[in-house]
Structure formats: structure tokens, C-alpha cells
Amino acid sequence: MKHLHLLFLCCLSWVFTSCKEKQNKRPEYALVIHGGAGVILASDLSDEEEKAYYFSLDTALQIGENILKNGGSSLDAVEAVIVFLENDSLFNAGKGAVFTYEGKNELDASVMFGKDKTAGSVAGVTTIKNPIKAARAVMERSPHVMMVGTGAESFAKEIGIEMVDPSYFFTTRRWNSHIELKNKENNPSVTKDSIDVDKKKGTVGCVALDKNGNISAGTSTGGMTNKKYNRVGDSPLIGAGTYADNQSCGISCTGHGEYFIRFSVAKDVAALVEYKNMDIRAAADEVIHQKLGKTGGEGGLIGIDKQGNIAMSFNTPGMYRGYCIPGKKETFIYK
Ligand code: ASP
């Protein structure tokens, strides 16, 4: 009888440990992307448009997954995914960026490597085809973290990054939104809230965890439609729009940048994960729904923690998004 008891206890402890191991086992790699959060309603997208978005999200995931699956670094995966999304005019980053109040495209991007917390970013650039490449170059090939405007452009040109004429970024769809919004802004009977609704949608971001356990995060955007006079949002700001640390998690944000800056959103989520040992999904929800949501700050974020857990949290009607881990890939648009 005593032996039976012992055997039973041994079995119980084996089941318990193996369940726990299963729970804590991190996937070989993980990847999560966003294509912007905002008032994205099924009623506003035609079937073709919806299909096009799903197709792009899926292709972006495939690009990143191929790199990670073959043992590539999270940094390479993040860059490749964001380059693809920047080149896709569906999104508000690179080609397809929104227009400023003065009718220009001013682009911001940033990247961070969680292994050593190195980071790079560019802001307000108008002639760099893929701002995320310039952000990575600032991180790896300069002693600085952030470069802006014509200085960032000179640096990018000097090291051989592809430059384009500003007209490369033009799309009719974004130009029409710029004009439409300008008319609304100049019409005193239109409320500020309905104007704000139109200003954002389409920033892109990516977070990856590679086979070596390194986390990287990156974000790229055209900012907010009709932004005035060299306004810079959260996307190129480390700790606000982008953050990565192997000790906690990687985060990329999208939404009303002014709020994301004031609330240091990306770093705030990482701090909850690191110092409070919070689950990344709970931490993301806490910041997006409680801290930010309660003050009227709209947007969302994606993240991956060191165990490979994935967060995709937003307080808007939709966020273009998707993730993959070995054997599983999913994309979403609405809530
Ligand atoms: N966060 C970006 C900005 O404020 C915009 C966006 O994500 O839609 O510039």
C-alpha cells in the first residue's frame, strides 16, 4: 500500500512538471506584425480591399517566418517585413504614406535590438525609400540613436541606402484624404472628434523572437494625416513607439502618437512585464485599455515576450495584424 502511494505521488509530480514545462516552453521562433490601428470597419472595406489587406499581412508574415525558420536573426526578420510593408501602398509607411498639412510625405521609423538594447531611428525624412533601413543603419553604423530631416538623409545617402524623389511616395488615395481632411478642418461646423478619426491608419510594425532568443522590434510610419510643421509622433521614439529588451519583451505601437509619447507606452508595457512579472497580454491590455484608453488615447500595440507569448491589443474598432509561430499563422483586421 505504501509503495502504491509513493508511485501515485511520483506520477502526480511527473504530470505536474511536464504540464508546467509545456506551458513554459517557448516556441522556436515567433513573429507578430501590425499595419495600423484605427476606425477600420468591415462596412468601409470592399471585399477586394479586405482580400488585399489579408494577402499583404500574410505575405509579410511569410517573409519574416522564412528568415526565422532558417535560423536568421530577429533583426533581419523585422527589417525585411517592414521593408515589404513600406513598399506596399496599402499601408501608411514608405510608399502610401499620408500627407502633411503642407502636402508632403514626412516619414519616421525606428528599430531596437533586445540583446544589447541598441536602437536607431530617423524622423521627418522625405527621400529615403525605406526609412527602416536608415533606422537600422543609424543603430549599426553610427554612434547615434536618432537622426532627423536632411541630416538623416545625408547620412543615408553617404552609406549607400536607396534614395528617391519625394514624388515616389505619392498615392492618389492618400492625397484625396489630405484634401478631404483639409476641407473639413477649414469648415467650422465639423467637430474635432470626427476630424481626428480620419487622421491615422496604416503605420506598420513588427516584433520577432529568433531561435537564439533575441527579440527585435521596429515601426515605420508616415505619421498622421495633415500633421503640421515637422510634427514627429511616437513611431521613431524609443520607449514610446518601439522598444525591445531580451529581459522582458519587444513592442511596436500604432495610434495617436501624442498619447503614446506622453505615456511612454512601449516601455511601460515592458516595465510591467519585467518588474511586475506580468503576462505580456495583461500588461498590454492594462496600458492600452486602462491607462491610455481612459484618457482618450486611441491605438494599439503588438508584442512578444521572452517566452514567445504574443500580445495584440487595441482600443480602436480594428487593427491590421497577424502572427506566426511554428505550425500556426493567423491574420486579423477587426475586433
Ligand atoms: N503613431 C503614428 C503617429 O502618431 C500614427 C499611427 O500609428 O497611425 O505618428
Side-chain angles (χ1 to χ4, degrees):
M1 193 64 187
K2 204 173 160 197
H3 284 112
L4 264 180
H5 247 119
L6 211 64
L7 191 67
F8 177 72
L9 281 177
C10 281
C11 284
L12 208 64
S13 106
W14 179 79
V15 169
F16 182 72
T17 353
S18 70
C19 275
K20 216 169 162 197
E21 262 169 21
K22 236 185 201 160
Q23 246 178 21
N24 290 338
K25 197 169 181 299
R26 89 171 156 82
E28 252 197 311
Y29 59 82
L31 181 73
V32 62
I33 58 172
H34 72 73
V39 183
I40 304 162
L41 302 168
S43 53
D44 291 345
L45 290 183
S46 68
D47 286 354
E48 279 70 47
E49 283 171 324
E50 210 177 76
K51 243 189 237 158
Y53 275 110
Y54 279 123
F55 180 76
S56 288
L57 293 172
D58 199 65
T59 311
L61 286 175
Q62 247 166 48
I63 290 171
E65 183 168 31
N66 282 343
I67 295 172
L68 296 171
K69 208 190 322 191
N70 293 318
S73 78
S74 55
L75 202 51
D76 286 344
V78 165
E79 180 183 343
V81 165
I82 294 185
V83 164
F84 169 77
L85 294 169
E86 284 177 342
N87 292 344
D88 186 333
S89 62
L90 282 178
F91 300 98
N92 171 21
K95 173 106 186 147
V98 298
F99 285 87
T100 66
Y101 189 76
E102 294 125 313
K104 295 197 286 179
N105 303 108
E106 291 176 357
L107 313 171
D108 307 329
S110 65
V111 70
M112 187 161 185
F113 185 43
K115 185 180 179 184
D116 53 10
K117 291 174 80 174
T118 47
S121 78
V122 294
V125 296
T126 58
T127 56
I128 300 174
K129 185 181 177 198
N130 292 109
I132 194 69
K133 286 191 181 179
R136 183 170 177 179
V138 170
M139 173 173 99
E140 292 179 332
R141 299 173 68 178
S142 92
H144 309 301
V145 169
M146 186 167 193
M147 291 189 192
V148 304
T150 50
E153 289 168 349
S154 302
F155 167 74
K157 200 171 170 185
E158 214 173 277
I159 59 168
I161 282 180
E162 187 175 355
M163 308 300 284
V164 288
D165 185 82
S167 61
Y168 162 79
F169 299 106
F170 180 93
T171 55
T172 311
R173 171 184 169 216
R174 298 295 191 192
W175 180 257
N176 291 345
S177 312
H178 157 64
I179 298 296
E180 227 172 85
L181 199 62
K182 218 167 181 180
N183 291 338
K184 273 191 189 175
E185 282 171 338
N186 292 330
N187 180 348
S189 64
V190 178
T191 62
K192 195 185 161 296
D193 281 356
S194 79
I195 289 173
D196 279 348
V197 158
D198 291 342
K199 288 200 172 182
K200 44 203 186 289
K201 266 182 239 179
T203 290
V204 305
C206 178
V207 182
L209 168 74
D210 63 29
K211 288 185 176 179
N212 291 322
N214 291 322
I215 301 173
S216 299
T219 311
S220 182
T221 189
M224 289 172 74
T225 307
N226 291 7
K227 58 187 181 182
K228 279 183 178 164
Y229 319 128
N230 301 118
R231 174 265 190 192
V232 173
D234 60 311
S235 309
L237 299 184
I238 300 303
T242 301
Y243 192 73
D245 182 355
N246 281 3
Q247 297 314 310
S248 53
C249 59
I251 301 287
S252 168
C253 301
T254 173
H256 197 149
E258 279 67 13
Y259 288 85
F260 282 74
I261 294 172
R262 288 167 44 219
F263 285 82
S264 307
V265 169
K267 171 67 191 178
D268 204 29
V269 174
L272 289 174
V273 171
E274 186 175 357
Y275 305 137
K276 272 193 152 180
N277 219 359
M278 239 168 125
D279 175 89
I280 188 170
R281 290 155 291 214
D285 283 347
E286 163 91 19
V287 176
I288 291 296
H289 294 288
Q290 301 303 319
K291 295 192 178 183
L292 208 64
K294 282 187 176 152
T295 62
E298 288 175 347
L301 63 82
I302 52 167
I304 300 179
D305 70 11
K306 59 181 177 183
Q307 305 296 346
N309 296 308
I310 290 171
M312 299 186 286
S313 182
F314 54 101
N315 62 23
T316 49
M319 180 166 85
Y320 301 107
R321 64 201 186 279
Y323 75 92
C324 68
I325 51 173
K328 194 165 183 195
K329 169 139 66 92
E330 287 190 286
T331 50
F332 312 87
I333 298 180
Y334 314 108
K335 232 172 207 154

